[in-house]
Amino acid sequence: MEKTFAIIKPDAVERNLIGKILERIESNGFKIAAMKKAQLTPSQAKGFYYVHKERPFFGSLTESMCSGPVVLLVLEKENAIPAWRELMGATNPEDAAAGTIRKDFAVNIEQNSTHGSDSAENAAFEMSYFFSETEILS
Ligand code: CMP
């Protein structure tokens, strides 16, 4: 079993899509190992996305992540990291495959409804950024 970290972003929370996204997660065989709703602070968002700090979109990305509440998740499944990225679809919804979350729900490349870790190393960092070990229930 592998764990990955996911976020339901403010654009999706704002449009009442939490339930629809959780339904896709569970019906695709993921177990929800941890979940909480949170309002990110600018410093939390900047720390979370520090790998993108040199990118031109860093300011607007971190601002949009603080524009409303998010849902933070730890998901568990065999090969959870690639499986969650496949279920989300490509970062840019214009490039995302039919039936993926981003194709169906994302507003644009920045407000793309969900986040998922892209490697085991980043998943470990991202899970521990928002959850203590005792909050993650396999
Ligand atoms: P996420 O999977 O959360 O990882 C980094 C985020 O940066 C990405 O989803 C998008 O929200 C955002 N992003 C990536 N590329 C661009 C871009 N070219 N323009 C604006 N935002 C981007």
Side-chain angles (χ1 to χ4, degrees), residues 9 48-49 52 55 57 60-61 65 85 88 91 102 108-112 114-116:
K9 295 187 178 187
F48 180 76
Y49 280 120
H52 297 304
R55 303 283 191 96
F57 56 81
S60 68
L61 170 63
M65 289 300 290
R85 290 179 71 79
M88 287 194 298
T91 304
R102 284 166 168 166
N108 54 42
I109 191 170
E110 183 174 281
Q111 293 176 50
N112 58 356
T114 52
H115 166 83

Side-chain angles (χ1 to χ4, degrees), residues 10-27:
D11 71 89
V13 174
E14 163 69 22
R15 289 175 292 141
N16 281 357
L17 293 170
I18 296 173
K20 286 200 171 87
I21 292 172
L22 292 179
E23 196 281 326
R24 290 196 187 198
I25 288 169
E26 290 197 304
S27 65

Side-chain angles (χ1 to χ4, degrees), residues 20-54:
K20 286 200 171 87
I21 292 172
L22 292 179
E23 196 281 326
R24 290 196 187 198
I25 288 169
E26 290 197 304
S27 65
N28 279 276
F30 291 89
K31 293 289 183 196
I32 296 173
M35 176 165 70
K36 61 187 167 191
K37 195 173 184 185
Q39 171 65 55
L40 301 189
T41 64
S43 71
Q44 270 180 315
K46 286 177 193 163
F48 180 76
Y49 280 120
Y50 80 99
V51 290
H52 297 304
K53 64 182 185 305
E54 306 299 341

